[in-house]
Amino acid sequence: MIAIFEQFSPIIQALMGTLFTWFMTAFGASLIFLTREVNQRLLDGLLGFASGVMIAASFWSLLEPAIELSHDMTVPVWVPAAVGFLLGGLFLFLVDKLLPHLHMGMEMGEAEGLKSSWRRSVLLITAITLHNIPEGLAVGVAFGAAAANVEGASIASAIALAVGIGLQNFPEGLAVSAPLRREGWPRGRAFFYGQLSGIVEPIAGVIGAALTILMRPLLPYALAFAAGAMIYVVAEELIPATKCEGHSDIPTLGVMLGFAVMMILDVAFG
């Protein structure tokens, strides 16, 4: 697989990687054709798994290379990682305050962002779509870092990150399509909007790879920015969503398993 990716430019590599993550979102959403209801415990466990994957990916695939790259800079080694990480979280915090959206498991009265007349289904789709952006950005930046020969970054580790993000996108696609189906949407329409939430990842991935190549000195900040944005998504969206029904053990075990899987992927292939 690595040999196949090496034949293409970093931007095409990022596109290929994020098309896979989008496919996994669509695959998860397609389960709505098999059932109308999804076991909540299962969904909570899958979302916990997604959280663990993103936490591990944030360090192993993004923050660690950012720190390694910072050794060659004139600022203290911790500055790019810390600044980029906080800026990534701040960016999503500001977008959260402005863009109307609704987190999974919440009622209409708990919608965040500016006041809007958007329907519940649209607000839910908007939330998932918004939080898919840093995932696509992370994959794109990882391929860009590999092209820039950053220590600790490689095509293998970027592929591992794309695989990990793809695995955690599976429950996210289902988490969008299942509520739409419960609200009476036809299966085809629920699937369409479930997979649509992941289409922003190839766009963000290509942008991330291009910016990484064009702005080499800012690469440590870009890597940490993607990590901060992903951790913000975990803390703001995924973990709280697993607690809505009062479950705790299953999501927690899912987090542990997801972290271990992503760590193994990155260490084994990176």
Side-chain angles (χ1 to χ4, degrees):
M1 180 182 293
I2 296 175
I4 296 175
F5 273 79
E6 288 177 339
Q7 300 175 28
F8 301 98
S9 70
I11 293 178
I12 299 300
Q13 292 171 358
L15 179 61
M16 293 167 62
T18 49
L19 282 175
F20 169 75
T21 64
W22 167 63
F23 168 78
M24 291 299 292
T25 303
F27 183 36
S30 70
L31 294 187
I32 204 62
F33 289 108
L34 302 179
T35 179
R36 181 187 181 93
E37 294 291 335
V38 179
N39 183 278
Q40 190 61 45
R41 287 179 178 272
L42 173 62
L43 186 56
D44 287 347
L46 290 173
L47 290 175
F49 178 87
S51 300
V53 167
M54 292 180 70
I55 294 170
S58 295
F59 176 74
W60 296 102
S61 298
L62 299 170
L63 283 176
E64 186 181 35
I67 293 170
E68 290 294 330
L69 189 59
S70 300
H71 285 288
D72 299 327
M73 303 181 71
T74 56
V75 298
V77 68
W78 54 267
V79 169
V83 171
F85 183 84
L86 294 175
L87 285 177
L90 178 62
F91 171 75
L92 277 195
F93 172 80
L94 294 175
V95 174
D96 259 358
K97 296 302 179 184
L98 296 175
L99 186 66
H101 63 283
L102 181 67
H103 295 304
M104 291 177 286
M106 292 186 174
E107 300 298 328
M108 277 295 291
E110 299 175 285
E112 298 180 0
L114 298 177
K115 296 296 182 182
S116 169
S117 60
W118 294 356
R119 296 173 57 186
R120 173 186 171 85
S121 54
V122 176
L123 293 171
L124 178 64
I125 295 167
T126 301
I128 300 296
T129 302
L130 165 65
H131 292 162
N132 275 338
I133 293 175
E135 298 167 14
L137 181 65
V139 175
V141 170
F143 278 107
N149 297 316
V150 174
E151 185 177 353
S154 65
I155 292 179
S157 62
I159 293 174
L161 176 60
V163 171
I165 295 296
L167 290 175
Q168 69 91 34
N169 273 0
F170 176 80
E172 287 191 356
L174 182 60
V176 175
S177 59
L180 298 181
R181 180 60 181 155
R182 283 197 298 269
E183 292 182 11
W185 285 40
R187 284 188 171 87
R189 193 177 177 199
F191 164 75
F192 175 78
Y193 282 98
Q195 63 82 31
L196 190 64
S197 65
I199 198 65
V200 295
E201 292 193 9
I203 299 172
V206 168
I207 293 174
L211 291 178
T212 299
I213 295 170
L214 294 174
M215 298 186 295
R216 176 69 165 72
L218 296 180
L219 183 52
Y221 296 92
L223 288 164
F225 181 95
M230 287 176 63
I231 292 296
Y232 186 92
V233 170
V234 172
E236 168 74 4
E237 169 73 9
L238 294 182
I239 290 181
T242 66
K243 308 295 184 180
C244 291
E245 301 296 325
H247 305 147
S248 59
D249 292 343
I250 293 178
T252 301
L253 293 174
V255 171
M256 298 296 293
L257 179 60
F259 188 97
V261 168
M262 186 64 234
M263 179 177 64
I264 291 169
L265 282 173
D266 199 280
V267 174
F269 296 102

